[in-house]
Amino acid sequence: MREWLMILMLTLSMACQAEDTLRVEEPERKLGWLRRTIRSFSKIDTNYVEPQHYNWALMLQSINTYDYYRLSTTGPQGQSISFAPSIGVRMGPFFGWRWVFLGYTVDLRNMNFFRGKRKLQLEGSIYSAQIGADLYYRRSVDDYKIRRVDFGKDIDTSPLEGQAFDGLNVSITGVNLYYIFNHKRFSYPAAFAQSTCQKISCGSWMAGVGYMNSSIDFDYERLEQMAHQSLGQQVAVDSGLMFNNLRYYNVNISGGYAYNWVFARNWLFCSSLQVALAYKESHGETAGDEGRDNKSSSGPLGFDFRNINLDGIGRFGLVWNNTKYYAGASAIVRAYNYRKSRFAANNIFGELNLYMGLNFGARGKYKKRKL
């Protein structure tokens, strides 16, 4: 399988699209209800936001991804271990028509066609003036390294740090939907879809909902074996970390604020932060379980728990755009936290995109306009 080489990314940028936002020559009352509804998502105040001038786009993009997991227990004998793979770097061309982008990227860190780690990442975003959505799926198998370990004050774990660990497999699937209140004057697409251009600095409150599930397969016996080999002594993993599989389910409501700062002509910096109140449910198999339905096991985690925690989503963008040519960088960072009695899991993952491109095929009213 060459999944790590074939990343098909569908980036839907519904704001680039305000294909008919300014066509006053066609009265809205003559349009069907569906078309009126679609247009309402892209209505903007042109004193603050410059609409898209072109139908087509071509872009070269570099996608850099990062994942970080921390598993820990509390109490006098509490332990913790952190994992993270090497930063993934993918690059490739993207071609777009109005609000649809289709692209192909290649993993630049591992060009071997047959011996790469089994890793798959699919992500897409919808950015309209009024609503937005992030969809993502990630799977990493045997791709993590030990970054930091704490087995107790008297144990020097530095020889373990940086070693590849083949006992952690993770998959994540999720979706976030959000609504932008000041959508006529504040443009998310200007920062993240390169479709519109923010003329005057402006911000907006946001509210959203989301869902995420994650599966973690953890071989604690492999960790004990590596610790014995590297540290020269027998180390016992805390009972709170003795699990084979964890499955997390997360439903959340979120609120936050975003601001577009126009600090120079054609330049924009966007900062956005949402805090989510999340209901979380987890099920798993502890050491000695024969299956999830085994009720006789008294594993150290329980092994079902339900609670409420706070999560966070941050988005940042820097872009130069003169409506035809554009270049910039954008980042999305997500943080998820799970905590119950003696066990906690923290996950941070995100991506940094570097891009440059051009729009072409001017729309009707812009065909004769010179930049």
Side-chain angles (χ1 to χ4, degrees), residues 50 52-54 194-197 265-267 319-327 357-359 370-371:
E50 182 70 19
Q52 174 67 289
H53 293 189
Y54 301 89
Q194 306 87 46
S195 54
T196 59
C197 296
R265 180 178 174 81
N266 298 327
W267 282 96
V319 60
W320 175 86
N321 189 346
N322 71 350
T323 72
K324 183 169 185 179
Y325 301 100
Y326 55 87
L358 69 135
N359 297 308
K370 294 183 180 179
L371 297 176

Side-chain angles (χ1 to χ4, degrees), residues 76-200:
Q77 305 299 322
Q79 297 179 350
S80 67
I81 181 167
S82 302
F83 303 95
S86 299
I87 295 177
V89 181
R90 312 193 312 273
M91 180 176 288
F94 286 76
F95 183 74
W97 175 78
R98 297 204 175 181
W99 53 273
V100 177
F101 265 81
L102 189 63
Y104 175 88
T105 60
V106 174
D107 189 341
L108 300 183
R109 285 188 173 273
N110 193 343
M111 300 297 290
N112 189 309
F113 278 76
F114 304 102
R115 298 178 60 186
K117 300 293 185 181
R118 289 177 290 167
K119 189 172 184 178
L120 177 64
Q121 296 178 240
L122 299 172
E123 300 190 20
S125 296
I126 298 172
Y127 295 113
S128 77
Q130 192 170 358
I131 62 172
D134 297 322
L135 304 95
Y136 51 91
Y137 171 77
R138 295 188 176 199
R139 187 183 71 186
S140 296
V141 179
D142 300 339
D143 192 41
Y144 287 87
K145 292 183 179 181
I146 298 174
R147 298 302 181 183
R148 191 169 184 177
V149 188
D150 181 5
F151 284 141
K153 295 181 179 179
D154 300 327
I155 302 177
D156 178 14
T157 58
S158 57
L160 273 173
E161 296 175 3
Q163 290 194 34
F165 182 70
D166 57 2
L168 182 68
N169 304 326
V170 177
S171 66
I172 300 173
T173 304
V175 58
N176 293 307
L177 306 174
Y178 49 90
Y179 179 84
I180 301 168
F181 290 95
N182 191 19
H183 52 84
K184 291 185 178 180
R185 295 183 174 183
F186 169 84
S187 177
Y188 236 6
F192 299 104
Q194 306 87 46
S195 54
T196 59
C197 296
Q198 187 83 42
K199 296 179 179 179
I200 302 174

Side-chain angles (χ1 to χ4, degrees), residues 200-249:
I200 302 174
S201 298
C202 190
S204 176
W205 290 99
M206 301 182 299
V209 296
Y211 170 80
M212 188 273 283
N213 70 65
S214 177
S215 175
I216 303 176
D217 296 323
F218 179 54
D219 187 348
Y220 72 92
E221 293 180 333
R222 174 58 177 154
L223 179 61
E224 288 180 331
Q225 181 185 24
M226 291 181 61
H228 177 66
Q229 294 173 348
S230 299
L231 307 181
Q233 59 179 302
Q234 198 70 36
V235 177
V237 171
D238 188 291
S239 61
L241 295 176
M242 289 183 177
F243 64 88
N244 302 317
N245 176 271
L246 289 179
R247 292 185 181 276
Y248 297 95
Y249 304 87

Side-chain angles (χ1 to χ4, degrees), residues 234-367:
Q234 198 70 36
V235 177
V237 171
D238 188 291
S239 61
L241 295 176
M242 289 183 177
F243 64 88
N244 302 317
N245 176 271
L246 289 179
R247 292 185 181 276
Y248 297 95
Y249 304 87
N250 177 331
V251 179
N252 67 74
I253 56 174
S254 62
Y257 190 79
Y259 189 79
N260 280 346
W261 177 34
V262 181
F263 59 90
R265 180 178 174 81
N266 298 327
W267 282 96
L268 170 68
F269 176 74
C270 177
S271 179
S272 167
L273 179 64
Q274 288 178 272
V275 177
L277 183 65
Y279 169 79
K280 300 170 183 182
E281 185 173 325
S282 177
H283 310 279
E285 299 175 4
T286 60
D289 283 351
E290 294 179 359
R292 185 173 299 170
D293 296 327
N294 184 355
K295 303 300 183 182
S296 62
S297 172
S298 57
L301 293 184
F303 188 79
D304 297 333
F305 66 75
R306 301 169 179 82
N307 64 353
I308 295 177
N309 292 130
L310 290 177
D311 296 330
I313 304 174
R315 298 179 179 86
F316 308 92
L318 175 67
V319 60
W320 175 86
N321 189 346
N322 71 350
T323 72
K324 183 169 185 179
Y325 301 100
Y326 55 87
S330 64
I332 301 178
V333 180
R334 302 178 179 90
Y336 296 100
N337 304 287
Y338 303 88
R339 186 176 298 275
K340 186 70 173 181
S341 63
R342 293 187 57 244
F343 173 76
N346 308 99
N347 175 213
I348 298 175
F349 68 95
E351 67 176 40
L352 170 66
N353 299 322
L354 306 174
Y355 57 85
M356 59 186 301
L358 69 135
N359 297 308
F360 60 97
R363 298 182 179 184
K365 66 178 300 179
Y366 301 108
K367 285 184 177 180

